[in-house]
Structures are given as structure tokens and as C-alpha cells.
Amino acid sequence: MPALKRLQWSIDIAAPASKVYQMLVGPESYKEWTSAFGEGLYYEGSWQSGQRIRFLTPDGHGVVSEIAENRPNEFLSIRHLGYIDDNGVEDTSSEAIRAWAPAYENYTFTATPEGTKLTVDQDMTDDFASMPEAWPTALGKLKALCENSAQ
């Protein structure tokens, strides 16, 4: 059974938490900062607490999740529940999924004198060995979006 590990990254962004939050979840800005994980990534669904959300690749694969908690500009917790296969079918109950689900991805926004410190905590298995390397790039892209766009 693959063990979940919780990994953490953080970045200081010279922008208020409201700006960082909007860039994190906005449909167009989401595509930009998540390009570090793969081109064309997008989501379908709602960021509201308790709502389902699907994180997808251009060919329709992805992850089905739900928003465990959303306090805009403070804290966002995503509970990953399973995978979406080639045909768009959600798998949330197979043995392979039960070995790791639920896994959490949490974003904490902390006010700093310069703006916002964004901390990401993510549960992952060794199957996602490339993700840890991509996170600093993704956060750098998010920082650039927040700092270079009109306040």
C-alpha cells in the first residue's frame, strides 16, 4: 500500500491575500500557474466548501476532489477523492484509490509586512515523484501573476 507523505512549500508574494487567492482559483490564472505541472490543465466545478471539483488535463484525465474547506484569502483545503479515466469515468472506490484517498492539498495565506506568505501542504505518494520538483516553479508563476498584474 503506498504511504502518503505530507510535503510543504511556501513563497512570499508582494500582493495582498485577496489578490493571491483570486489568482490561485481564477480560471485563466489557474491555467497559467499550473502549467508547471503540465500544459492546458484546468478545472470544472466550484471552489465552495462541500462542492465537487474536477482537475483535468486537456485529454480529460484528472482527479476528482471536493473542497473540504474554503475561507477566501485565509485557507483553502482540497480533499482529493479519486481519478478520472480516459472516458471521463470517476474512480473513487477501487483498491488502488482506497490505498491513498482521501489526500489533502491545503493552501494557507498569511499576511506579512510585504504582502502574503502562501504555504502549500500536499499529501502524495511516491507515484508523484515529479510533483515536488514542479511546485516551486508553479509557485513562482503564481507569484509573477500576482506581482505583475494590476493591483
Side-chain angles (χ1 to χ4, degrees), residues 115-135:
T116 305
K117 178 178 184 170
L118 178 64
T119 303
V120 180
D121 293 287
Q122 184 169 26
D123 297 335
M124 64 178 68
T125 64
D126 290 332
D127 297 347
F128 292 95
S130 67
M131 256 188 133
E133 286 80 36
W135 266 110

Side-chain angles (χ1 to χ4, degrees), residues 12-116:
D12 289 307
I13 301 174
S18 58
K19 179 70 163 188
V20 177
Y21 177 84
Q22 285 304 317
M23 289 295 173
L24 186 81
V25 303
E28 293 309 312
S29 52
Y30 177 87
K31 290 177 188 175
E32 288 187 50
W33 75 265
T34 60
S35 66
F37 302 108
E39 288 300 321
L41 301 180
Y42 67 103
Y43 65 84
E44 293 177 344
S46 170
W47 291 100
Q48 292 190 6
S49 295
Q51 295 297 304
R52 282 277 177 121
I53 190 165
R54 294 161 54 111
F55 299 99
L56 301 162
T57 64
D59 61 7
H61 292 88
V63 179
V64 59
S65 307
E66 79 177 3
I67 303 304
E69 187 174 350
N70 186 352
R71 297 191 317 268
N73 315 328
E74 294 176 17
F75 182 74
L76 175 64
S77 179
I78 303 166
R79 182 184 301 120
H80 298 298
L81 303 173
Y83 290 127
I84 302 164
D85 73 11
D86 295 349
N87 302 314
V89 176
E90 295 180 4
D91 175 4
T92 58
S93 59
S94 70
E95 187 175 331
I97 297 299
R98 288 194 320 266
W100 62 263
Y104 288 84
E105 183 175 329
N106 298 328
Y107 297 82
T108 304
F109 303 78
T110 306
T112 65
E114 300 77 33
T116 305

